[in-house]
């Protein structure tokens, strides 16, 4: 596709709008992400990054503004169309992974594919391939409680990629991990994104990790303050190859 994968135009969001206790979160925010582009979103706690990601992922409504994903105006889209976009076009990764505890790592990656209509055999083959790519082939039948934090987050990355999304939205995906594990998971995630030509918006408070993306946007006070190229090539640094 030639146009942007994600376009946010003049997005405004507040809690309790129209009331004396209204809390503004996002103010006339605009952002465009090109096909295959990985953008780092740096923001202090409480700046609205989760709200921004949830709006971009069609999990929350903006008070005003336009959201366009893969050329579809999501403001005007039906609920069924939004559901289809969430299932087939968007992959989400959260800080606390939200894996289903009663299912194995493999099953957690299979299930979103089944929900999107994929046949079980093909879904399983794809899930095994994804888990193998992040070094979890030997751990695929383990449930989340028996996996380390870094392993659980790698499963969450595989789950987000399971339906071959055009856009991945990640909300502090390494925020709950120690420094070394965070670097490993972040690098594996960006490698998988680049291999598949996925666009991504990755929120992180870690500016060193954000510098591994193609471009950084900074969110403060509900607005994007800057937009800079990082020059990151996507190649893993020597200490974690």
């Amino acid at each position: 596709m030639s146009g942007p994968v994600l376009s946010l135009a003049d997005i405004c969001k507040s809690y309790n709008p129209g009331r004396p206790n209204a809390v503004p979160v996002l103010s006339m925010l605009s952002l465009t992400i090109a096909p295959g582009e990985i953008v780092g979103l740096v923001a202090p706690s409480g700046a609205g990054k989760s709200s921004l990601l949830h709006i971009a992922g069609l999990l929350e409504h903006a008070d005003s503004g336009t959201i366009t994903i893969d050329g579809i105006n999501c403001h005007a889209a039906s609920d069924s169309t939004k559901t289809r976009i969430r299932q087939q076009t968007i992959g989400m990764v959260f800080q606390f992974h939200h894996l289903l505890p009663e299912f194995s790592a493999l099953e957690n990656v299979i299930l979103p594919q089944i929900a999107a209509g994929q046949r079980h055999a093909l879904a399983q083959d794809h899930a095994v391939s994804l888990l193998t790519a992040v070094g979890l082939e030997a751990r695929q039948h383990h449930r989340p409680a028996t996996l380390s934090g870094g392993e659980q987050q790698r499963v969450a990355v595989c789950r987000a990629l399971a339906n071959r999304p055009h856009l991945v939205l990640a909300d502090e995906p390494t925020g709950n991990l120690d420094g070394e594990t965070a670097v490993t998971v972040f690098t594996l995630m960006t490698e998988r994104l680049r291999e598949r030509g996925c666009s991504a918006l990755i929120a992180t408070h870690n500016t060193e990790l954000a510098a591994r993306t193609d471009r950084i946007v900074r969110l403060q006070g509900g607005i994007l303050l800057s937009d800079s190229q990082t020059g990151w090539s996507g190649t893993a640094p020597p200490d974690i190859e």
Side-chain angles (χ1 to χ4, degrees):
M1 85 181 269
S2 57
V5 172
L6 173 68
S7 178
L8 304 175
D10 301 328
I11 297 295
C12 293
K13 176 68 176 180
S14 62
Y15 294 106
N16 300 318
R19 299 181 182 179
N21 62 340
V23 178
V25 180
L26 303 174
S27 177
M28 298 298 289
L29 184 149
S30 296
L31 173 66
T32 298
I33 299 179
E37 184 181 29
I38 299 176
V39 177
L41 172 64
V42 177
S45 179
K49 63 181 182 299
S50 292
S51 294
L52 171 57
L53 288 164
H54 289 176
I55 288 170
L58 308 181
L59 298 176
E60 288 186 27
H61 295 287
D63 298 335
S64 60
T66 303
I67 305 163
T68 304
I69 299 175
D70 268 1
I72 299 174
N73 182 343
C74 297
H75 178 74
S78 65
D79 288 342
S80 61
T81 297
K82 291 178 182 178
T83 297
R84 178 177 56 80
I85 292 171
R86 282 194 297 267
Q87 287 182 335
Q88 300 179 2
T89 305
I90 299 172
M92 299 287 296
V93 184
F94 302 95
Q95 178 176 348
F96 294 101
H97 56 75
H98 298 305
L99 298 177
L100 298 173
E102 66 271 30
F103 294 102
S104 69
L106 181 63
E107 290 166 336
N108 267 278
V109 183
I110 289 174
L111 287 172
Q113 299 179 72
I114 298 298
Q118 182 60 277
R119 288 190 295 143
H120 188 277
L122 293 176
Q124 178 167 307
D125 287 346
H126 186 47
V128 170
S129 175
L130 286 168
L131 291 168
T132 300
V134 299
L136 291 178
E137 183 177 15
R139 306 283 282 167
Q140 61 182 295
H141 297 297
H142 291 248
R143 292 187 179 183
T146 66
L147 302 174
S148 69
E151 288 172 336
Q152 291 178 58
Q153 200 60 305
R154 279 185 271 169
V155 176
V157 170
C158 292
R159 180 182 59 186
L161 294 172
N163 284 330
R164 299 174 174 84
H166 293 172
L167 174 67
V168 169
L169 303 170
D171 190 358
E172 295 282 2
T174 62
N176 197 40
L177 305 175
D178 64 77
E180 183 178 351
T181 304
V183 172
T184 300
V185 170
F186 196 94
T187 302
L188 285 168
M189 178 171 62
T190 53
E191 285 176 346
R192 298 292 84 74
L193 291 169
R194 294 184 193 283
E195 284 175 1
R196 289 160 176 77
C198 286
S199 301
L201 180 61
I202 305 175
T204 177
H205 65 274
N206 188 322
T207 54
E208 292 183 6
L209 292 181
R212 299 171 185 272
T213 64
D214 300 318
R215 179 163 58 102
I216 295 173
V217 293
R218 301 178 186 274
L219 180 63
Q220 188 168 330
I223 59 174
L224 291 176
L225 295 178
S226 66
D227 186 343
S228 59
Q229 300 290 333
T230 67
W232 170 244
S233 67
T235 304
D239 61 330
I240 56 172
E241 284 185 336

